[in-house]
Amino acid sequence: AQTVTQSQPEMSVQEAETVTLSCTYDTSESDYYLFWYKQPPSRQMILVIRQEAYKQQNATENRFSVNFQKAAKSFSLKISDSQLGDAAMYFCAYRYGGSQGNLIFGKGTKLSVKP
Amino acid sequence: ETGVTQTPRHLVMGMTNKKSLKCEQHLGHNAMYWYKQSAKKPLELMFVYNFKEQTENNSVPSRFSPECPNSSHLFLHLHTLQPEDSALYLCASSQELRVRVNTEAFFGQGTRLTVV
C-alpha cells in the first residue's frame, strides 16, 4: 500500500527567509503524481505545486519549488522569501497514475512565519 | 471564489439526528470525493464517485451514506452518528478518474461537524 510521511509536525521560518518541508512516500508504482497542498485557517485546501514522476525536472511555481528524488522517494517543498500569508498547514499527497488513483495524504506540517 | 462549495460550514447534531452535507462544484468535473479530516490524522478518503457511479467505499460505516445525483452534486447523509465522528468533512472534485490523467483535486472549505 502507498503511504506518505511528513516527519515535521511543525516548522517555523522568519519572514523573507527560506524553509524546506520534508515528505517521503512509499510505492511500488513507477507512474504517479505528487502534490503539495496548503490549508490556511480558512480550511480550504489549495494546490501549491505538482510533480509528475516521469519528469526529472523539479517543478517550480514562483517562490515554491520541489526537490524530487525518485530513487529516494523523497519530495520536499522549498518556500523562498517566506511571507506571512504562507503560514498554514502543508500536506504532501500522492496519486497513482492508474484509473483508481485517489489522493493519499501525509499528516501535514504546520508552518509558522515570524515577522 | 472556490469552484467547490460545501454547505453548511458548521453543523452540530445529536446522536439521534439525521442531517445531510451538501457539495456542489461548477468546474465541469466528473469525479467527486468525500474526505474526513480529524485532528492529528491524515486526511481519510471516504467515498469516490466517477461519472455518478461510486467507485470506492473506503470501509466507511453505514451511518454515513453518500449520494451523487449528478456530476455536479454530492451529498453525505448522516444518521445515528457517534461523538468520534466529529471532524472536518471535505469535499473535492477532479476532472475524472482515468489512466495517466494528471487530475489535481479541488477542495471545498469543508463542513465542521460536531456530534454531541
Side-chain angles (χ1 to χ4, degrees):
Chain A
Q2 297 93 357
T3 58
V4 177
T5 302
Q6 292 179 249
S7 59
Q8 305 153 317
E10 296 187 28
M11 291 283 285
S12 180
V13 64
Q14 204 72 32
E15 195 175 6
E17 297 293 310
T18 296
V19 64
T20 298
L21 308 184
S22 301
C23 173
T24 59
Y25 58 94
D26 187 22
T27 183
S28 57
E29 305 295 339
S30 59
D31 183 14
Y32 53 88
Y33 306 93
L34 297 165
F35 306 87
W36 278 98
Y37 278 88
K38 169 185 177 182
Q39 187 180 37
S42 68
R43 306 182 326 205
Q44 186 182 7
M45 300 276 276
I46 303 166
L47 180 69
V48 174
I49 198 166
R50 74 163 72 86
Q51 175 81 43
E52 292 89 344
Y54 60 85
K55 289 187 178 179
Q56 292 186 340
Q57 186 174 7
N58 289 326
T60 62
E61 284 287 341
N62 300 315
R63 299 182 295 107
F64 299 87
S65 61
V66 299
N67 183 3
F68 174 48
Q69 301 290 327
K70 191 171 184 179
K73 296 179 182 176
S74 170
F75 182 61
S76 60
L77 174 70
K78 186 172 82 171
I79 305 174
S80 305
D81 186 25
S82 298
Q83 301 175 359
L84 295 177
D86 295 333
M89 284 290 292
Y90 285 82
F91 293 92
C92 179
Y94 162 100
R95 178 183 180 274
Y96 167 52
S99 61
Q100 297 300 318
N102 306 311
L103 281 172
I104 299 170
F105 286 86
K107 288 187 177 181
T109 297
K110 183 178 181 180
L111 178 66
S112 302
V113 181
K114 297 179 180 178
Chain B
E1 180 182 317
T2 176
V4 181
T5 304
Q6 288 186 244
T7 54
R9 291 291 307 276
H10 302 271
L11 177 62
V12 179
M13 60 185 289
M15 289 189 283
T16 58
N17 291 159
K18 287 185 179 181
K19 296 287 184 184
S20 296
L21 309 185
K22 179 182 177 181
C23 177
E24 186 174 0
Q25 57 94 4
H26 304 282
L27 301 168
H29 290 164
N30 293 299
M32 296 188 77
Y33 313 78
W34 279 116
Y35 282 88
K36 176 183 179 182
Q37 186 176 23
S38 306
K40 303 189 187 303
K41 293 175 69 175
L43 272 76
E44 301 171 64
L45 178 66
M46 299 176 72
F47 301 104
V48 182
Y49 280 82
N50 194 39
F51 290 94
K52 301 188 297 179
E53 299 295 322
Q54 187 178 127
T55 61
E56 186 154 344
N57 176 339
N58 205 21
S59 302
V60 181
S62 60
R63 58 186 184 269
F64 295 91
S65 175
E67 178 189 2
C68 188
N70 54 62
S71 291
S72 299
H73 293 86
L74 184 65
F75 295 89
L76 188 62
H77 304 300
L78 316 170
H79 63 98
T80 59
L81 294 192
Q82 305 297 314
E84 59 264 29
D85 296 322
S86 299
L88 180 68
Y89 288 84
L90 290 167
C91 173
S93 71
S94 65
Q95 192 173 350
E96 62 179 271
L97 296 181
R98 187 158 58 89
V99 174
R100 290 187 174 270
V101 174
N102 181 13
T103 55
E104 69 189 70
F106 293 78
F107 285 81
Q109 290 183 291
T111 295
R112 174 70 65 188
L113 174 67
T114 303
V115 181
V116 297

